[in-house]
Amino acid sequence: MDIDINEFLNRDEQKDLLRLLTAGSVDDGKSTLIGRLLYDSKLLYEDQLAALKRDSRRVGSVGGEIDYALLLDGLQAEREQGITIDVAYRYFATSKRKFIIADTPGHEQYTRNMVTGASTANLAIVLVDARNGVIDQTRRHTFIISLLGIKHVILAVNKMDLVDYRESIFNNICHEYRSFITRLKIPDLHFIPLSALKGDNVVEKSESMQWYTGQPLLEILENVYVTSDRNFIDFRYPVQYVLRPDADFRGFAGTIASGVVRPGDDILVLPSRKKSKVKNITTSDGNLKEAFPPLSVALTLEDEIDISRGDMLVHPDNMPRTARSFEAMLVWMDEKPMAKNTAFFLKHTTRTTRASIDQIRYRTDVNSLRKHEASSLALNEIGRVTITTSQPLFFDPYMKNHTTGSFIMIDPITNFTAAVGMIIDRPSINDQPNDEIFTDRATKKEHQEHAQDATLKNIVAQQLLAHEGLKLKPCRGEDGKLTIGVGRRLEERGISEDEALFLLNNDISASLADLKKLFAATDSDLFASLPETVQRVLIEMRFFLGSDAFRNHSRMIRAVQDKDFALATREMEQSSWFAKAGERGRKLLALMKENVRGER
């Protein structure tokens, strides 16, 4: 049937794109599987096929037959060793869909290469050698796939021809893998037995495994639904470049990270919090009625607003989090081990700022998923860390938004990518890890203290907001950090109570850290051993007074260190701060007096 060329090109343009990767241990047949997929789909050109046959005779490893792995393993070292080292990308298309396949290395030494290939994938094919079953590297790659938020996984049990296509072996491997994966967040899972070398269940159903009633691999790839994986709710538009070709046009170019935008939509600019409306959505092909990820467009606004690279446009009623400190899962990719005191460059969307790693919460053993105490991370290790940046970032949790929830850390001296990170959701009081996952007492104690601190900071923040009502205001300190101070009403500044609580928690964190440092000079566990009510009083005083003014109350501090709360109460009552504190000061004094009654 004759098809008009324009109609054909239009149909081809309308096909959706599936990005996928292959993962698995060394010699599980990843490159062979992709090569066989291309060969059986009749997607190789004649010169490629001729070169493949010639290379198979010269350097092939399958005894004179076509070595399909050579289509992907192009490096000389890969062909000599028979392994994949670097990530190899292949593009192909069928009548239903376009594909970009990333063939990633299986050796543990090249885990960072695997992370690179997986970072843009929608689906992962995890290969298992039917003779060996699920091994440590299978678990490692599956954990990384889960960490990177890939929602669709196919477990391909390869080399079934070497175990006589036995169903029992396939079922045992599936059961073992299913038991492991229950602890991970992978909602869509498929199992398929195949032989990449022989072509069984790759493109066509296998005659040798009639007991398998599912689809062959290519059919699954053509029909898996991935459109819903994108976030079309939360509009996030990091500004990449300001277009100013003439005096009549000012557009803000970038790629839509998530959400949908239309002309006339209200938008808010971060960090300035200026508001405007979208005037036009401009592209090289003309204006659009709406735009969505991953389109690259230029937005023009109704108002003249100072916007530059690194700013973000959002809808006013749906904002990302704004903070200088956050927790993330970090994959270390540098040959040089992590140094916590190093001031890295952190690249997040289009914004680059200085950043430091304040704390390593734990290191994850990717083979067992157990968590261990760590003071540093080495090449290919994964851990949960706390990061502080010099400028505020606008982000969402990675599992909610891959673009605004991910970042890279760059070594300022070598300019190498030192690590990649995925921002995690703020842990709630009930979202702390279970005790049994810790392998040592030190890590368990650290997490218990973290949970107690979170509870304490939340109580103080709520008490402050309840007392001050909406009379608190955000302001910037000398270091540029957004803080809370007493002043105009929050509602006049467009700050909600939830945002105020978040900002308060940031400031209270600084107060708590300063107090712990002050009391640690006497006893490292002294502050934690104080009654909670005393801790709350000290945090609020430190919050309002600042570090230097608070330390001037030396006699009260010394009394608290001695746990002489009666003397501490008298010193507090006689202080100049108490005379100015009004009702809140009287309430704090009452809290202190509770401990005096407790002493009696």
Side-chain angles (χ1 to χ4, degrees):
M1 182 176 66
D2 293 333
I3 300 178
D4 180 73
I5 185 62
N6 292 323
E7 182 183 351
F8 173 79
L9 293 174
N10 184 57
R11 286 185 186 178
D12 189 67
E13 188 177 345
Q14 297 303 317
K15 294 177 187 175
D16 67 337
L17 173 67
L18 177 68
R19 292 178 176 270
L20 63 141
L21 82 146
T22 56
S25 186
V26 178
D27 203 32
D28 277 348
K30 298 180 295 299
S31 300
T32 302
L33 175 62
I34 298 175
R36 186 79 203 206
L37 188 63
L38 296 172
Y39 180 82
D40 285 357
S41 301
K42 308 294 188 290
L43 296 171
L44 296 179
Y45 295 112
E46 289 185 3
D47 59 331
Q48 290 177 312
L49 187 57
L52 175 63
K53 292 178 178 178
R54 182 177 63 252
D55 291 343
S56 297
R57 291 192 297 271
R58 187 167 56 88
V59 294
S61 57
V62 289
E65 297 183 31
I66 295 178
D67 189 349
Y68 301 101
L70 296 178
L71 281 170
L72 283 300
D73 293 338
L75 298 178
Q76 182 177 348
E78 292 178 322
R79 295 189 171 198
E80 289 174 352
Q81 300 178 49
I83 63 173
T84 301
I85 296 175
D86 199 6
V87 182
Y89 293 94
R90 280 284 177 175
Y91 169 86
F92 74 98
T94 66
S95 59
K96 293 185 178 181
R97 181 173 254 169
K98 300 175 184 177
F99 301 90
I100 296 178
I101 304 181
D103 181 26
T104 62
H107 199 283
E108 182 176 348
Q109 176 183 352
Y110 306 113
T111 297
R112 59 181 173 179
N113 302 48
M114 184 263 174
V115 172
T116 302
S119 61
T120 58
N122 308 113
L123 178 146
I125 303 173
V126 180
L127 275 89
V128 172
D129 189 325
R131 299 169 299 176
N132 303 325
V134 177
I135 60 176
D136 284 348
Q137 194 69 338
T138 310
R139 298 184 182 93
R140 167 183 286 270
H141 285 167
T142 304
F143 173 72
I144 294 172
I145 287 166
S146 171
L147 187 67
L148 292 171
I150 298 174
K151 298 179 180 179
H152 309 276
V153 173
I154 299 173
L155 182 75
V157 182
N158 192 24
K159 304 187 180 182
M160 289 295 295
D161 55 309
L162 300 182
V163 294
D164 299 324
Y165 301 105
R166 279 180 284 171
E167 182 181 6
S168 59
I169 291 179
F170 173 72
N171 290 337
N172 290 338
I173 292 173
C174 292
H175 176 74
E176 184 179 358
Y177 189 77
R178 198 179 275 114
S179 300
F180 170 76
I181 210 170
T182 52
R183 293 177 282 176
L184 304 175
K185 296 179 180 179
I186 298 177
D188 185 25
L189 182 62
H190 302 265
F191 297 92
I192 179 170
L194 54 83
S195 170
L197 187 63
K198 303 295 183 183
D200 294 296
N201 284 335
V202 178
V203 173
E204 302 291 341
K205 292 257 310 188
S206 171
E207 294 294 329
S208 303
M209 291 180 281
Q210 295 186 8
W211 47 265
Y212 173 69
T213 58
Q215 302 169 301
L217 178 62
L218 182 60
E219 194 172 327
I220 295 176
L221 296 179
E222 285 183 325
N223 293 289
V224 65
Y225 185 68
V226 296
T227 304
S228 60
D229 295 350
R230 291 192 181 277
N231 183 336
F232 292 105
I233 298 172
D234 309 306
F235 176 60
R236 307 286 185 260
Y237 185 76
V239 175
Q240 182 176 352
Y241 190 72
V242 180
L243 299 175
R244 188 74 169 173
D246 54 55
D248 299 325
F249 185 89
R250 181 182 174 86
F252 306 102
T255 301
I256 298 176
S258 63
V260 180
V261 64
R262 300 176 179 88
D265 281 1
D266 292 323
I267 62 100
L268 181 140
V269 183
L270 296 174
S272 68
R273 304 185 68 85
K274 300 288 186 181
K275 294 183 179 180
S276 185
K277 289 181 181 291
V278 177
K279 184 177 180 180
N280 288 308
I281 304 172
T282 304
T283 70
S284 58
D285 297 322
N287 292 347
L288 301 178
K289 293 182 179 179
E290 65 176 15
F292 45 84
L295 293 180
S296 295
V297 298
L299 300 184
T300 59
L301 306 181
E302 297 282 1
D303 306 288
E304 288 291 335
I305 300 177
D306 182 17
I307 300 174
S308 59
R309 177 181 172 86
D311 291 353
M312 183 179 288
L313 307 187
V314 301
H315 286 148
D317 58 350
N318 185 341
M319 295 173 56
R321 295 175 185 168
T322 300
R324 291 176 56 245
S325 182
F326 54 87
E327 291 192 5
M329 294 299 295
L330 208 65
V331 181
W332 196 253
M333 305 182 76
D334 201 343
E335 300 278 355
K336 182 174 62 176
M338 175 198 294
K340 287 200 294 184
N341 297 327
T342 303
F344 296 94
F345 286 116
L346 187 146
K347 177 102 168 40
H348 173 258
T349 62
T350 57
R351 198 173 185 85
T352 301
T353 182
R354 286 278 189 172
S356 61
I357 299 169
D358 293 340
Q359 179 189 23
I360 302 175
R361 295 277 306 280
Y362 56 76
R363 176 182 59 81
T364 300
D365 182 338
V366 296
N367 298 324
S368 65
L369 301 187
R370 297 185 71 85
K371 298 171 174 61
H372 304 273
E373 184 180 16
S375 58
S376 180
L377 294 178
L379 177 64
N380 296 327
E381 289 187 336
I382 300 171
R384 179 167 170 171
V385 301
T386 302
I387 294 174
T388 299
T389 59
S390 60
Q391 296 178 358
L393 300 182
F394 324 116
F395 60 85
D396 301 283
Y398 180 79
M399 289 303 173
K400 183 180 180 182
N401 193 319
H402 285 192
T403 303
T404 60
S406 60
F407 61 90
I408 63 172
M409 301 191 76
I410 303 167
D411 189 301
I413 298 174
T414 64
N415 214 35
F416 290 163
T417 300
V420 297
M422 287 70 67
I423 299 172
I424 59 179
D425 209 347
R426 283 205 307 269
S428 67
I429 298 168
N430 298 319
D431 191 30
Q432 300 302 319
N434 296 325
D435 289 349
E436 61 267 19
I437 67 174
F438 298 111
T439 55
D440 50 70
R441 294 181 180 178
T443 309
K444 177 179 176 181
K445 179 183 176 183
E446 177 187 333
H447 281 270
Q448 289 173 337
E449 289 177 354
H450 183 84
Q452 292 165 0
D453 287 353
T455 306
L456 180 62
K457 288 186 289 187
N458 194 47
I459 290 172
V460 174
Q462 289 177 342
Q463 289 294 326
L464 279 169
L465 198 61
H467 173 69
E468 297 294 335
L470 291 179
K471 295 179 183 178
L472 297 166
K473 72 168 185 179
C475 56
R476 293 197 181 276
E478 294 179 359
D479 60 354
K481 178 184 176 183
L482 195 63
T483 66
I484 288 287
V486 180
R488 285 186 299 168
R489 295 170 67 85
L490 279 174
E491 57 191 15
E492 296 174 2
R493 306 288 294 254
I495 304 291
S496 67
E497 289 193 34
D498 286 342
E499 290 175 282
L501 278 172
F502 182 51
L503 293 171
L504 276 167
N505 265 288
N506 281 349
D507 286 357
I508 292 167
S509 295
S511 300
L512 180 57
D514 188 43
L515 286 168
K516 285 187 172 183
K517 183 177 179 180
L518 175 63
F519 281 80
T522 304
D523 181 349
S524 59
D525 294 323
L526 178 56
F527 187 82
S529 70
L530 296 175
E532 183 189 297
T533 51
V534 175
Q535 293 183 31
R536 286 166 53 187
V537 170
L538 295 175
I539 291 172
E540 285 201 38
M541 286 187 66
R542 164 62 181 78
F543 172 81
F544 279 110
L545 289 168
S547 180
D548 293 339
F550 177 79
R551 289 169 186 260
N552 288 337
H553 293 70
S554 56
R555 286 184 292 186
M556 186 200 74
I557 293 171
R558 195 175 303 114
V560 172
Q561 290 173 332
D562 295 337
K563 296 190 178 180
D564 186 347
F565 301 125
L567 177 58
T569 302
R570 290 196 298 272
E571 292 293 340
M572 178 180 168
E573 195 169 10
Q574 295 170 10
S575 68
S576 58
W577 173 81
F578 178 75
K580 300 175 183 177
E583 182 186 351
R584 191 61 195 152
R586 290 190 291 273
K587 287 186 177 181
L588 293 178
L589 187 67
L591 285 175
M592 285 293 287
K593 287 182 177 179
E594 286 181 13
N595 295 283
V596 176
R597 288 194 292 271
E599 286 179 330
R600 295 171 184 168

